[in-house]
Amino acid sequence: MTWQFVPNMGGRFDGPNIGSEDHFKSSRLSSFVREIVQNSIDAKPINSKLPVKIKFELQEIEKSEFDGFTGIWKHIEASRNQALESKNKIWVDRYNEIIKKYRDKETIKILCVHDANTTGLTGPVDGSPLGSLYAVTKGVGISSKQDDTSGGSFGHGASASFLFSGSRSVYYYSQVNEEEPVYRFVGKSMLQSHKSPYDNSIITVGTGFYANEDDKLTAITDDKIPKWAKQFRRQSGFENGTSVYICDTNFREDLYDETCISLLANFYYAIKENQLEAIIDKEEINSKNVKEKYKEYKSKFFNDNQRDEIDADFIEDCFRSIDTIIKPTLKEKIEVENIGKIEWYLRLSDEIKWRKIGISRSIGMLITRNPKYLEVFYGLKNFDMFVCVKGKMGNEMLKKIENP
């Protein structure tokens, strides 16, 4: 098996900014955490009462243990040569930088994100465009979310992981339940269109796959899956679910604090409601300790200036909503016609200098604190409010108006 970038057949020529990476560059860690955790929550079996579990950790392995680690560099070099031919100096320099930094290393560092109590990447393995296996690895502008209360619509999360890969390559390994084959594995690389390193007369598309060498580049299954992928998943202690392996990672150990900050800011309510548990390196966050961990990491954010590569303004907004959840003046659960169940928290205080409503869908992830038509409150005292829309109809409505 090798990395395969199919011919573009005279069609679209992909530049080096494939996908939606430009959406994330100013706060890539916040975007990465938000999207990858949201995808895991969306993959929770519909009738499951167990919390989704997610684990972030770094691993290191000898590059010689897997041909995919070395095989991608032919395509990276060809992409650099294509950028040179196109006189794209910015990307020539970027490719040269990553070649110098990562290509000749004997070991490879991998950022691993494992989830559990999820469905895994389900669907046929014959290349048919159905199910989450196809949507996550090959889909563009499609969604495999299980229902309309899920956290994402047609978002850009599929490319957020690539922001932390020096070689712009990510592998997906999944263990599923009630489907055969149980184990699935696919590698994906987002580069740019380039001359094939095997035939210079062929111009490829910009996205390639480490997969079976058949017409549909189907997923690798069961015994053919590389041992390291199975080993890292087994070490996590998780069973059904998905592991995302981000290779030649530029994620640093000193970003673990910011990862916790971003996780708490975006998913405090989900953790509080026992929908989510997380392990970031060795730090465990769950419904029993979430209030204590929030206090700890809020202090690190404000007092220790732990703000690298995260959206500090949005996180401050999230913290205001969390403070309202923790110390509400009033709170209530109600049923609203044509919307369904809603849970709201209202905080009144002389310390509040604003009038804001934070809105989330059922998973508890804050969508906005500037909801359309609810931004002006003339003649009212200052307040802070958090509203979680739990009803299916309300979630459908919010999903339609949410930015992709």
Side-chain angles (χ1 to χ4, degrees):
M1 283 167 278
T2 60
W3 278 100
Q4 298 161 78
F5 289 73
V6 299
N8 74 348
M9 305 298 289
R12 190 181 75 183
F13 187 96
D14 296 320
N17 285 313
I18 300 171
S20 48
E21 295 185 10
D22 285 340
H23 289 260
F24 297 139
K25 285 179 179 175
S26 62
S27 54
R28 61 176 187 155
L29 182 59
S30 283
S31 301
F32 167 65
V33 170
R34 184 178 170 96
E35 295 296 339
I36 204 161
V37 176
Q38 175 182 296
N39 288 342
S40 292
I41 292 176
D42 289 342
K44 180 179 179 177
I46 291 174
N47 296 319
S48 174
K49 302 298 183 184
L50 297 172
V52 169
K53 295 184 178 182
I54 195 158
K55 183 175 185 178
F56 295 77
E57 63 180 0
L58 287 167
Q59 294 278 9
E60 196 161 350
I61 187 174
E62 295 288 329
K63 193 176 285 187
S64 59
E65 288 197 26
F66 176 56
D67 62 357
F69 296 150
T70 54
I72 192 60
W73 291 101
K74 293 178 182 178
H75 295 278
I76 294 173
E77 290 163 2
S79 295
R80 186 267 315 276
N81 295 341
Q82 188 65 56
L84 186 63
E85 188 173 323
S86 302
K87 297 185 167 87
N88 188 336
K89 185 178 184 306
I90 291 174
W91 274 96
V92 170
D93 291 344
R94 288 183 184 177
Y95 284 128
N96 281 333
E97 181 182 354
I98 64 174
I99 289 168
K100 180 179 178 181
K101 187 172 182 179
Y102 298 106
R103 184 188 60 185
D104 297 328
K105 285 189 171 183
E106 294 183 359
T107 61
I108 182 169
K109 194 161 88 169
I110 303 174
L111 174 59
C112 310
V113 185
H114 312 280
D115 71 30
N117 298 334
T118 63
T119 61
L121 297 179
T122 58
V125 297
D126 62 1
S128 301
L130 302 168
S132 58
L133 174 64
Y134 190 91
V136 169
T137 59
K138 295 184 178 179
V140 177
I142 63 175
S143 176
S144 63
K145 311 301 186 185
Q146 298 181 81
D147 59 34
D148 288 308
T149 65
S150 59
S153 47
F154 302 97
H156 305 284
S159 62
S161 298
F162 291 86
L163 295 173
F164 283 96
S165 171
S167 55
R168 295 166 71 90
S169 57
V170 174
Y171 296 90
Y172 303 88
Y173 171 59
S174 196
Q175 177 177 341
V176 303
N177 190 24
E178 298 180 359
E179 285 191 20
E180 294 287 343
V182 171
Y183 305 99
R184 297 112 183 272
F185 179 87
V186 176
K188 181 176 181 179
S189 179
M190 299 180 75
L191 297 173
Q192 68 168 82
S193 290
H194 56 271
K195 292 178 181 177
S196 169
Y198 307 104
D199 184 346
N200 281 344
S201 68
I202 295 175
I203 300 294
T204 74
V205 297
T207 301
F209 300 93
Y210 188 92
N212 286 316
E213 295 181 42
D214 51 33
D215 291 344
K216 294 186 177 180
L217 305 182
T218 56
I220 300 163
T221 59
D222 293 341
D223 293 341
K224 295 180 180 178
I225 294 170
K227 292 180 180 179
W228 64 268
K230 292 183 175 182
Q231 178 186 346
F232 290 164
R233 172 101 189 153
R234 191 163 51 247
Q235 289 172 354
S236 75
F238 292 169
E239 294 185 0
N240 286 354
T242 300
S243 295
V244 180
Y245 297 123
I246 302 167
C247 294
D248 294 294
T249 187
N250 46 44
F251 182 92
R252 311 182 308 271
E253 289 186 3
D254 67 349
L255 289 175
Y256 280 134
D257 279 352
E258 280 86 350
T259 303
C260 290
I261 288 167
S262 187
L263 180 90
L264 286 161
N266 284 283
F267 297 100
Y268 180 92
Y269 188 84
I271 298 169
K272 168 187 168 293
E273 295 291 293
N274 200 36
Q275 294 188 56
L276 176 68
E277 294 180 358
I279 304 172
I280 294 89
D281 191 26
K282 296 178 176 61
E283 181 75 278
E284 296 187 27
I285 303 175
N286 53 51
S287 60
K288 294 178 181 178
N289 68 6
V290 66
K291 191 183 294 187
E292 169 194 334
K293 293 300 178 184
Y294 169 64
K295 183 178 178 181
E296 176 185 343
Y297 284 97
K298 182 182 177 183
S299 175
K300 288 186 177 185
F301 178 79
F302 284 110
N303 300 328
D304 300 339
N305 203 32
Q306 298 284 56
R307 301 182 176 210
D308 287 354
E309 305 197 43
I310 56 178
D311 186 344
D313 291 340
F314 182 74
I315 283 173
E316 283 195 43
D317 261 353
C318 290
F319 284 173
R320 293 186 181 110
S321 285
I322 294 169
D323 289 340
T324 296
I325 294 168
I326 292 173
K327 293 183 178 180
T329 308
L330 296 167
K331 65 178 182 178
E332 191 171 350
K333 298 177 182 179
I334 59 174
E335 185 97 17
V336 179
E337 187 177 359
N338 297 324
I339 292 179
K341 292 180 181 179
I342 287 178
E343 187 168 338
W344 60 262
Y345 300 75
L346 177 67
R347 179 163 54 103
L348 304 172
S349 169
D350 292 338
E351 296 176 359
I352 296 174
K353 307 301 180 186
W354 57 85
R355 305 180 187 99
K356 289 280 188 179
I357 297 179
I359 304 288
S360 83
R361 287 200 264 117
S362 59
I363 65 170
M365 185 180 74
L366 185 69
I367 297 172
T368 181
R369 280 175 59 87
N370 297 293
K372 195 173 183 181
Y373 309 123
L374 293 175
E375 294 178 282
V376 181
F377 302 92
Y378 295 119
L380 295 180
K381 292 181 178 180
N382 292 335
F383 68 90
D384 195 271
M385 190 172 191
F386 174 80
V387 178
C388 181
V389 180
K390 295 191 169 186
K392 183 176 180 181
M393 290 182 290
N395 274 268
E396 289 173 354
M397 178 184 68
L398 288 174
K399 194 168 184 179
K400 290 175 182 177
I401 64 175
E402 181 184 350
N403 286 331

